[in-house]
Amino acid sequence: MQKLSTLLSIAILLTFTQCNSTSNSAINNSELDTTAQRVDSIALTENPRGIEENQLDSLVEGHILLPASYRIWEQSESISNIMDSTWLALYKKGDQFFIGKIKYKIEHAAEEPCSGLPTETILPEYRTYAFFNVQEMKAGAIDSISIQNPVLNPNESSSFSFNGKQYSIKASGRAFDDREKNGAGFYKLELYEDNRLSRVILQQDQYNDTHTEIQFISDFDKDGKPDFIFSSPRDYEEERVIINLSNSPYAFEGSRQFDC
Protein backbone atom coordinates (compact mmCIF):
# COMPACT_ATOMS: atom_id res chain seq x y z
CA MET A 1 0.00 0.00 0.00
CA GLN A 2 2.85 2.37 0.86
CA LYS A 3 4.52 1.64 -2.49
CA LEU A 4 1.25 2.37 -4.32
CA SER A 5 0.93 5.69 -2.47
CA THR A 6 4.50 6.64 -3.34
CA LEU A 7 4.01 5.80 -7.03
CA LEU A 8 0.80 7.86 -7.10
CA SER A 9 2.59 10.86 -5.57
CA ILE A 10 5.39 10.63 -8.16
CA ALA A 11 2.82 10.47 -11.01
CA ILE A 12 0.99 13.58 -9.72
CA LEU A 13 4.32 15.45 -9.36
CA LEU A 14 5.37 14.59 -12.93
CA THR A 15 1.97 15.67 -14.31
CA PHE A 16 2.16 19.03 -12.45
CA THR A 17 5.75 19.63 -13.68
CA GLN A 18 4.75 18.98 -17.31
CA CYS A 19 1.71 21.30 -17.11
CA ASN A 20 3.80 24.05 -15.50
CA SER A 21 6.44 23.69 -18.26
CA THR A 22 3.74 23.92 -20.95
CA SER A 23 2.28 27.02 -19.28
CA ASN A 24 5.69 28.74 -19.08
CA SER A 25 6.33 27.89 -22.73
CA ALA A 26 3.02 29.47 -23.73
CA ILE A 27 3.80 32.64 -21.73
CA ASN A 28 7.29 32.89 -23.27
CA ASN A 29 5.89 32.46 -26.78
CA SER A 30 3.30 35.14 -26.05
CA GLU A 31 6.03 37.54 -24.91
CA LEU A 32 8.07 36.81 -28.02
CA ASP A 33 5.07 37.50 -30.26
CA THR A 34 4.40 40.81 -28.48
CA THR A 35 8.03 41.86 -28.89
CA ALA A 36 8.00 40.98 -32.57
CA GLN A 37 4.84 42.98 -33.11
CA ARG A 38 6.36 45.99 -31.34
CA VAL A 39 9.44 45.86 -33.58
CA ASP A 40 7.23 45.74 -36.68
CA SER A 41 5.30 48.79 -35.44
CA ILE A 42 8.49 50.76 -34.88
CA ALA A 43 9.76 49.86 -38.34
CA LEU A 44 6.48 51.07 -39.86
CA THR A 45 6.64 54.34 -37.94
CA GLU A 46 10.18 55.02 -39.12
CA ASN A 47 9.33 54.29 -42.76
CA PRO A 48 10.02 57.49 -44.73
CA ARG A 49 7.25 56.68 -47.20
CA GLY A 50 4.79 56.59 -44.30
CA ILE A 51 5.93 60.05 -43.17
CA GLU A 52 5.63 61.33 -46.72
CA GLU A 53 2.03 60.15 -47.01
CA ASN A 54 1.10 61.65 -43.64
CA GLN A 55 2.62 64.96 -44.65
CA LEU A 56 0.41 65.17 -47.72
CA ASP A 57 -2.76 63.73 -46.22
CA SER A 58 -2.60 65.92 -43.10
CA LEU A 59 -2.67 69.59 -44.00
CA VAL A 60 -2.96 71.26 -40.60
CA GLU A 61 -5.03 74.43 -40.35
CA GLY A 62 -5.05 77.13 -37.70
CA HIS A 63 -1.30 77.83 -37.53
CA ILE A 64 -0.93 80.37 -40.36
CA LEU A 65 -2.37 83.85 -40.83
CA LEU A 66 -1.79 86.10 -43.82
CA PRO A 67 -1.21 89.87 -43.75
CA ALA A 68 -4.70 90.48 -45.13
CA SER A 69 -8.35 91.04 -44.22
CA TYR A 70 -10.39 88.31 -42.54
CA ARG A 71 -14.15 88.08 -42.21
CA ILE A 72 -15.15 87.54 -38.60
CA TRP A 73 -18.10 85.17 -38.41
CA GLU A 74 -17.79 84.55 -34.67
CA GLN A 75 -15.89 86.24 -31.88
CA SER A 76 -13.69 83.15 -31.52
CA GLU A 77 -12.34 83.89 -35.02
CA SER A 78 -11.08 87.32 -33.99
CA ILE A 79 -7.40 87.78 -34.83
CA SER A 80 -6.79 89.10 -31.33
CA ASN A 81 -8.08 85.82 -29.90
CA ILE A 82 -5.91 83.72 -32.21
CA MET A 83 -2.52 85.45 -32.31
CA ASP A 84 -0.41 85.65 -29.15
CA SER A 85 3.23 86.18 -28.18
CA THR A 86 4.28 82.78 -29.56
CA TRP A 87 3.47 83.75 -33.17
CA LEU A 88 6.34 84.65 -35.51
CA ALA A 89 6.47 86.16 -38.98
CA LEU A 90 8.42 85.52 -42.15
CA TYR A 91 9.31 89.02 -43.28
CA LYS A 92 11.80 91.04 -45.30
CA LYS A 93 13.72 93.97 -43.85
CA GLY A 94 15.94 95.72 -46.36
CA ASP A 95 17.52 92.98 -48.48
CA GLN A 96 17.44 90.31 -45.74
CA PHE A 97 14.73 87.80 -44.84
CA PHE A 98 13.98 86.96 -41.22
CA ILE A 99 11.83 84.73 -39.07
CA GLY A 100 10.92 86.48 -35.84
CA LYS A 101 8.55 88.74 -33.95
CA ILE A 102 7.51 92.03 -35.53
CA LYS A 103 5.13 94.83 -34.72
CA TYR A 104 1.72 94.82 -36.34
CA LYS A 105 -1.67 96.36 -35.83
CA ILE A 106 -5.16 95.07 -36.41
CA GLU A 107 -7.57 97.32 -38.28
CA HIS A 108 -11.26 96.73 -37.59
CA ALA A 109 -14.15 97.39 -39.95
CA ALA A 110 -17.79 97.12 -38.90
CA GLU A 111 -19.07 95.78 -42.21
CA GLU A 112 -17.52 94.47 -45.42
CA PRO A 113 -19.53 95.48 -48.53
CA CYS A 114 -19.58 91.99 -50.07
CA SER A 115 -20.39 89.81 -47.06
CA GLY A 116 -21.89 92.31 -44.64
CA LEU A 117 -19.63 90.84 -41.94
CA PRO A 118 -17.16 92.70 -39.74
CA THR A 119 -13.52 92.32 -40.75
CA GLU A 120 -10.09 92.47 -39.17
CA THR A 121 -7.01 93.30 -41.22
CA ILE A 122 -3.46 92.48 -40.12
CA LEU A 123 -1.08 95.34 -40.97
CA PRO A 124 2.57 94.32 -40.34
CA GLU A 125 5.55 96.61 -39.80
CA TYR A 126 7.52 95.05 -42.68
CA ARG A 127 6.75 93.21 -45.89
CA THR A 128 5.47 89.89 -44.54
CA TYR A 129 4.77 86.56 -46.25
CA ALA A 130 2.88 85.03 -43.34
CA PHE A 131 2.41 84.92 -39.59
CA PHE A 132 2.57 81.49 -38.03
CA ASN A 133 2.65 79.43 -34.88
CA VAL A 134 4.76 76.49 -36.07
CA GLN A 135 7.22 75.14 -33.52
CA GLU A 136 9.55 73.63 -36.15
CA MET A 137 10.31 77.02 -37.75
CA LYS A 138 13.29 78.66 -36.04
CA ALA A 139 13.80 82.39 -35.49
CA GLY A 140 16.71 84.21 -37.13
CA ALA A 141 18.00 85.48 -40.45
CA ILE A 142 17.45 83.15 -43.41
CA ASP A 143 18.64 82.92 -46.98
CA SER A 144 16.29 82.46 -49.91
CA ILE A 145 17.00 80.28 -52.94
CA SER A 146 16.55 81.84 -56.37
CA ILE A 147 13.58 80.25 -58.15
CA GLN A 148 13.95 80.09 -61.93
CA ASN A 149 10.47 78.68 -62.66
CA PRO A 150 8.05 79.34 -59.79
CA VAL A 151 5.08 77.94 -61.76
CA LEU A 152 5.63 74.46 -63.17
CA ASN A 153 3.31 72.76 -65.64
CA PRO A 154 3.35 68.97 -66.10
CA ASN A 155 6.71 67.53 -67.21
CA GLU A 156 8.47 70.79 -66.33
CA SER A 157 11.15 70.99 -63.65
CA SER A 158 13.18 73.56 -61.75
CA SER A 159 16.68 72.86 -60.36
CA PHE A 160 18.64 74.47 -57.54
CA SER A 161 21.61 73.75 -55.29
CA PHE A 162 21.34 73.72 -51.50
CA ASN A 163 24.08 73.00 -48.93
CA GLY A 164 26.31 71.42 -51.57
CA LYS A 165 23.60 69.12 -52.99
CA GLN A 166 21.66 69.32 -56.22
CA TYR A 167 17.87 69.35 -56.07
CA SER A 168 15.13 69.49 -58.66
CA ILE A 169 11.37 69.91 -58.44
CA LYS A 170 9.36 68.00 -61.02
CA ALA A 171 5.69 68.59 -61.81
CA SER A 172 3.07 66.15 -63.03
CA GLY A 173 -0.68 66.16 -63.51
CA ARG A 174 -2.92 68.85 -64.95
CA ALA A 175 -1.86 71.92 -66.95
CA PHE A 176 -2.95 75.20 -65.42
CA ASP A 177 -3.98 76.71 -68.76
CA ASP A 178 -6.31 73.78 -69.52
CA ARG A 179 -9.73 75.45 -69.19
CA GLU A 180 -11.58 72.16 -69.62
CA LYS A 181 -10.19 70.99 -66.28
CA ASN A 182 -11.03 74.05 -64.23
CA GLY A 183 -12.40 73.00 -60.87
CA ALA A 184 -10.70 69.59 -60.95
CA GLY A 185 -7.52 67.84 -61.97
CA PHE A 186 -4.73 66.20 -60.01
CA TYR A 187 -1.40 68.04 -59.68
CA LYS A 188 1.79 66.97 -57.90
CA LEU A 189 5.26 68.34 -57.16
CA GLU A 190 8.09 65.93 -56.32
CA LEU A 191 11.46 66.87 -54.84
CA TYR A 192 14.55 65.02 -56.11
CA GLU A 193 17.90 65.06 -54.33
CA ASP A 194 20.88 64.08 -56.51
CA ASN A 195 18.42 62.53 -59.02
CA ARG A 196 16.74 60.40 -56.34
CA LEU A 197 13.17 60.99 -55.22
CA SER A 198 13.28 62.63 -51.79
CA ARG A 199 9.59 63.29 -51.13
CA VAL A 200 6.36 64.65 -52.56
CA ILE A 201 6.12 68.27 -51.49
CA LEU A 202 2.66 69.14 -52.81
CA GLN A 203 -0.37 67.46 -54.29
CA GLN A 204 -3.75 69.00 -55.00
CA ASP A 205 -6.85 68.06 -56.99
CA GLN A 206 -8.89 71.29 -57.08
CA TYR A 207 -8.13 74.37 -59.18
CA ASN A 208 -10.54 77.01 -60.48
CA ASP A 209 -8.70 79.60 -62.58
CA THR A 210 -5.75 79.23 -60.22
CA HIS A 211 -2.31 77.66 -60.14
CA THR A 212 0.40 76.58 -57.70
CA GLU A 213 3.42 78.85 -57.34
CA ILE A 214 6.66 78.23 -55.44
CA GLN A 215 7.01 81.38 -53.33
CA PHE A 216 9.97 80.61 -51.10
CA ILE A 217 12.72 78.02 -50.68
CA SER A 218 14.89 78.17 -47.56
CA ASP A 219 15.88 76.23 -44.46
CA PHE A 220 13.16 77.31 -42.04
CA ASP A 221 13.71 74.51 -39.51
CA LYS A 222 17.54 74.63 -39.54
CA ASP A 223 18.08 70.96 -40.38
CA GLY A 224 20.19 71.57 -43.49
CA LYS A 225 17.45 70.57 -45.96
CA PRO A 226 15.21 72.76 -48.14
CA ASP A 227 11.75 73.82 -46.98
CA PHE A 228 9.03 75.40 -49.09
CA ILE A 229 6.24 77.96 -49.08
CA PHE A 230 3.63 77.63 -51.83
CA SER A 231 0.82 79.83 -52.98
CA SER A 232 -1.79 77.28 -54.00
CA PRO A 233 -5.40 78.57 -54.02
CA ARG A 234 -8.18 76.20 -55.03
CA ASP A 235 -10.39 78.99 -56.33
CA TYR A 236 -9.76 82.44 -57.81
CA GLU A 237 -11.52 83.99 -54.81
CA GLU A 238 -9.25 82.31 -52.29
CA GLU A 239 -5.79 83.13 -50.95
CA ARG A 240 -4.01 80.05 -49.66
CA VAL A 241 -0.46 79.38 -48.43
CA ILE A 242 1.12 75.99 -47.69
CA ILE A 243 4.31 75.54 -45.65
CA ASN A 244 6.14 72.25 -46.24
CA LEU A 245 9.00 71.48 -43.83
CA SER A 246 11.48 68.64 -44.27
CA ASN A 247 11.36 67.59 -40.60
CA SER A 248 7.61 67.85 -40.00
CA PRO A 249 5.25 64.86 -40.28
CA TYR A 250 2.63 67.11 -41.90
CA ALA A 251 2.33 70.36 -43.83
CA PHE A 252 0.58 73.55 -42.69
CA GLU A 253 -1.96 75.64 -44.57
CA GLY A 254 -3.55 79.03 -44.12
CA SER A 255 -6.31 80.45 -46.28
CA ARG A 256 -8.90 83.18 -46.53
CA GLN A 257 -11.90 83.77 -48.80
CA PHE A 258 -12.68 87.07 -50.54
CA ASP A 259 -15.59 86.06 -52.78
CA CYS A 260 -18.26 88.67 -53.47
Side-chain angles (χ1 to χ4, degrees):
M1 181 63 109
Q2 186 174 2
K3 289 183 178 180
L4 180 59
S5 176
T6 301
L7 290 174
L8 182 60
S9 298
I10 293 172
I12 292 172
L13 180 60
L14 288 173
T15 302
F16 176 78
T17 303
Q18 184 176 3
C19 290
N20 189 47
S21 175
T22 303
S23 176
N24 288 339
S25 176
I27 292 173
N28 289 337
N29 287 337
S30 176
E31 290 176 349
L32 287 174
D33 291 344
T34 302
T35 304
Q37 185 176 1
R38 189 179 298 118
V39 170
D40 290 343
S41 300
I42 292 173
L44 180 61
T45 302
E46 294 178 347
N47 182 357
R49 299 297 296 180
I51 292 175
E52 171 190 301
E53 290 171 2
N54 289 339
Q55 187 174 43
L56 297 170
D57 294 339
S58 303
L59 281 171
V60 179
E61 298 179 338
H63 293 263
I64 299 175
L65 287 170
L66 305 174
S69 294
Y70 285 86
R71 296 168 178 171
I72 308 302
W73 294 81
E74 300 178 2
Q75 186 58 32
S76 61
E77 298 175 339
S78 170
I79 303 302
S80 302
N81 290 335
I82 297 173
M83 293 181 69
D84 58 27
S85 60
T86 64
W87 284 65
L88 303 177
L90 170 59
Y91 65 96
K92 186 176 184 180
K93 181 180 179 182
D95 294 329
Q96 180 66 58
F97 292 96
F98 297 90
I99 290 177
K101 297 179 181 180
I102 61 171
K103 295 180 180 179
Y104 64 89
K105 63 180 181 178
I106 300 174
E107 187 176 83
H108 301 263
E111 182 178 324
E112 182 195 46
C114 284
S115 66
L117 293 167
T119 63
E120 292 183 356
T121 304
I122 307 174
L123 301 173
E125 180 182 11
Y126 303 108
R127 179 190 172 188
T128 300
Y129 282 81
F131 291 88
F132 47 84
N133 181 14
V134 179
Q135 185 177 5
E136 290 87 350
M137 297 183 72
K138 308 302 182 183
I142 58 173
D143 296 323
S144 63
I145 301 301
S146 177
I147 307 169
Q148 294 180 349
N149 301 309
V151 179
L152 299 175
N153 272 299
N155 301 319
E156 293 181 344
S157 64
S158 181
S159 299
F160 62 95
S161 59
F162 193 88
N163 280 345
K165 294 184 178 180
Q166 294 298 315
Y167 291 88
S168 62
I169 303 171
K170 297 182 180 180
S172 61
R174 61 158 287 164
F176 296 124
D177 57 359
D178 187 348
R179 297 299 178 183
E180 294 182 1
K181 291 184 178 179
N182 263 342
F186 183 78
Y187 179 79
K188 180 168 65 175
L189 290 176
E190 295 175 314
L191 177 67
Y192 285 78
E193 178 183 333
D194 293 332
N195 295 320
R196 294 191 303 270
L197 177 62
S198 175
R199 69 184 197 272
V200 178
I201 53 177
L202 184 138
Q203 63 183 29
Q204 186 169 316
D205 58 8
Q206 183 180 352
Y207 292 91
N208 184 18
D209 284 337
T210 56
H211 60 267
T212 291
E213 180 176 345
I214 306 167
Q215 283 194 319
F216 214 100
I217 303 176
S218 187
D219 185 8
F220 302 128
D221 52 22
K222 307 299 183 183
D223 69 345
K225 297 181 180 180
D227 306 309
F228 302 88
I229 294 183
F230 302 100
S231 169
S232 197
R234 295 156 293 196
D235 187 84
Y236 64 90
E237 292 177 314
E238 177 186 55
E239 185 177 8
R240 180 169 177 253
V241 164
I242 295 174
I243 297 178
N244 185 296
L245 303 174
S246 59
N247 73 350
S248 174
Y250 34 72
F252 301 87
E253 73 168 329
S255 63
R256 72 180 190 97
Q257 306 294 324
F258 51 89
D259 53 301
C260 191

